[in-house]
């Protein structure tokens, strides 16, 4: 399987894409981007980005699927990208509870599905993958198929039990650090900013796309998460570990991951794949870092080709 090559300027919004805002049920303004697709679109795809992400990071991938005929949409999660911030310090990632994001997704999905041609599929990365899995469990959306890149079904804990990390995060919140950043810079504790690129992708140019967008649109930049975000994330991860939840998900799910991931827990992804009734996996090794869809071509092309094949099987064009 080979992915079709699509060449775009990754640091400019394509002329065939439209940026706009939509309003969540409680009135919060959420940013979105859409490719309308051709007169007879292949179907509709919703892309859900990760923690700290903004859709500009994934223009190349979104354009790829648009060129394949999908009507593509992506949103910035509440509290990140250009969907407004939740704390006085705009660079600290925060949320009151992950259920808020699920509520936003449920509200958006109902309207987006009604306005767009089927089949309807979801592509999600990292935290977006976690939220997609929760949305499947909670029946907040009903896609024909879901592909997940390095889904945050578990997080790296430095070898310590997740419950111990959870207890520590609760302690930090209880002593008044809820809204303070859990670490200073980069994507994980004790990791200097100059190592951030290696944690995310082996493709230096694609990594620098994000930095370029920070310069072009400073409002999309987000730093480390708050202690409250950490506590709520672990609580949500532990919730999905309850027996019987993933086992009831009937949607076909493709899980892409790498054993070299320094942010999410790939053994947990593999374990959870065996709990899902209709799951497939593609697992990389040291050749790939966390952002599989922004990796070097040798990795990224494999991911795109596998997603294409998966969607052709489970969400064929009508």
């Amino acid at each position: 399987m080979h992915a079709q090559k699509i060449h775009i300027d990754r640091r400019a919004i394509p002329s065939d894409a439209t940026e706009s805002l939509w309003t969540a049920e409680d009135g919060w303004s959420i940013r979105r981007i859409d490719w309308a697709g051709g007169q007879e679109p292949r179907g509709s795809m919703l892309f859900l980005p990760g923690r700290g992400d903004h859709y500009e990071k994934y223009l190349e991938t979104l354009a790829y699927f648009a060129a394949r005929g999908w009507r593509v949409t992506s949103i910035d999660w509440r509290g990140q990208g250009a969907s407004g911030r939740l704390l006085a310090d705009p660079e600290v990632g925060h949320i009151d509870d992950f259920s808020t994001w699920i509520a936003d997704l449920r509200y958006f999905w109902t309207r987006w599905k009604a306005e767009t041609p089927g089949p309807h599929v979801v592509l999600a990365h990292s935290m977006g993958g976690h939220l997609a899995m929760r949305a499947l469990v909670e029946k907040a959306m009903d896609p024909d198929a879901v592909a997940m890149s390095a889904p945050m079904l578990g997080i790296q804990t430095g070898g310590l039990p997740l419950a111990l990390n959870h207890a520590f995060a609760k302690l930090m919140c209880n002593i008044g650090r809820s809204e303070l950043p859990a670490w200073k810079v980069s994507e994980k504790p004790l990791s200097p900013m100059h190592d951030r690129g290696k944690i995310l992708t082996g493709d230096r140019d694609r990594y620098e796309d994000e930095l370029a967008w920070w310069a072009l649109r400073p409002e999309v930049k987000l730093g480390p998460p708050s202690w409250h975000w950490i506590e709520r994330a672990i609580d949500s991860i532990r919730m999905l570990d309850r027996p019987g939840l993933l086992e009831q998900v009937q949607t076909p799910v493709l899980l892409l991951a790498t054993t070299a991931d320094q942010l999410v827990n790939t053994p947990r992804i593999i374990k959870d794949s065996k709990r899902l009734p209709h799951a497939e996996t593609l697992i990389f090794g040291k050749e790939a870092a966390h952002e599989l869809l922004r990796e070097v071509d040798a990795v990224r092309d494999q991911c795109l080709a596998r997603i294409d094949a998966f969607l052709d099987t489970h969400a064929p064009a009508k």
Side-chain angles (χ1 to χ4, degrees):
M1 296 184 295
H2 297 284
Q4 174 188 352
K5 294 293 183 184
I6 301 295
H7 298 285
I8 71 161
D9 181 351
R10 300 193 301 262
R11 302 177 188 182
I13 301 298
S15 59
D16 56 346
T18 302
E19 298 180 281
S20 62
L21 298 173
W22 67 276
T23 304
E25 194 168 17
D26 66 354
W28 196 273
S29 184
I30 305 287
R31 190 177 67 142
R32 65 187 286 180
I33 189 169
D34 294 88
W35 277 256
Q39 290 184 334
E40 296 182 10
R42 158 80 176 77
S44 300
M45 172 183 287
L46 177 62
F47 177 74
L48 303 176
R51 192 210 75 81
D53 282 347
H54 44 90
Y55 59 60
E56 288 91 345
K57 284 180 64 173
Y58 286 91
L59 290 175
E60 183 181 22
T61 294
L62 303 181
Y64 169 84
F65 286 106
R68 301 284 288 174
W70 293 97
R71 188 191 188 284
V72 175
T73 299
S74 182
I75 59 173
D76 284 346
W77 295 111
R78 174 191 300 244
Q80 58 183 56
S83 291
R85 298 298 159 92
L86 297 160
L87 296 179
D89 185 341
E91 290 205 7
V92 178
H94 191 71
I95 192 67
D96 58 344
D97 190 77
F98 276 41
S99 61
T100 297
W101 282 325
I102 297 299
D104 286 345
L105 181 55
R106 183 191 299 272
Y107 189 74
F108 183 81
W109 178 266
T110 301
R111 286 147 186 77
W112 177 79
K113 184 182 177 185
E115 297 165 357
T116 55
H120 293 90
V121 302
V122 170
L123 176 60
H125 171 67
S126 196
M127 186 187 81
H130 174 91
L131 292 168
M133 191 69 79
R134 264 196 64 166
L136 293 176
V137 166
E138 298 177 28
K139 297 180 170 52
M141 62 179 188
D142 58 346
D144 295 289
V146 177
M148 300 181 181
S149 157
M152 193 189 77
L153 302 178
I155 57 173
Q156 294 288 1
T157 61
L160 298 174
L162 187 64
L164 186 59
N165 280 258
H166 198 189
F168 185 71
K170 287 179 179 178
L171 172 64
M172 298 303 282
C173 293
N174 289 338
I175 64 173
R177 300 184 67 85
S178 292
E179 297 186 357
L180 296 179
W183 55 85
K184 291 186 176 181
V185 295
S186 193
E187 300 304 305
K188 67 174 188 175
L190 305 179
S191 175
M193 195 65 179
H194 60 74
D195 284 345
R196 181 175 182 268
K198 298 174 186 176
I199 293 171
L200 296 179
T201 171
D203 191 303
R204 185 68 192 179
D205 286 342
R206 287 190 171 106
Y207 172 68
E208 290 181 353
D209 291 342
E210 182 180 27
L211 308 185
W213 278 110
W214 288 355
L216 288 166
R217 295 179 169 183
E219 69 275 13
V220 303
K221 183 180 180 182
L222 191 66
S226 67
W227 277 110
H228 185 74
W229 184 97
I230 295 288
E231 191 279 318
R232 289 292 82 200
I234 297 176
D235 183 83
S236 192
I237 287 167
R238 295 181 78 184
M239 182 273 283
L240 285 180
D241 206 24
R242 294 175 191 163
L245 290 184
L246 299 192
E247 289 80 359
Q248 72 177 358
V249 173
Q250 295 302 312
T251 307
V253 179
L254 171 64
L255 301 144
L256 311 174
T258 169
T259 58
D261 204 313
Q262 297 184 52
L263 300 179
V264 304
N265 186 314
T266 298
R268 170 71 186 262
I269 294 171
I270 295 170
K271 185 188 90 168
D272 284 357
S273 73
K274 296 173 182 177
R275 298 174 57 202
L276 293 161
H278 308 289
E280 302 175 21
T281 59
L282 176 59
I283 310 296
F284 294 91
K286 61 183 180 180
E287 70 275 18
H290 179 63
E291 292 184 342
L292 295 167
L293 298 175
R294 300 177 71 233
E295 257 297 353
V296 296
D297 286 349
V299 171
R300 182 174 178 273
D301 289 353
Q302 286 186 67
C303 293
L304 295 176
R306 182 62 181 271
I307 293 168
D308 281 336
F310 172 77
L311 296 179
D312 285 346
T313 298
H314 297 288
K318 292 182 178 179

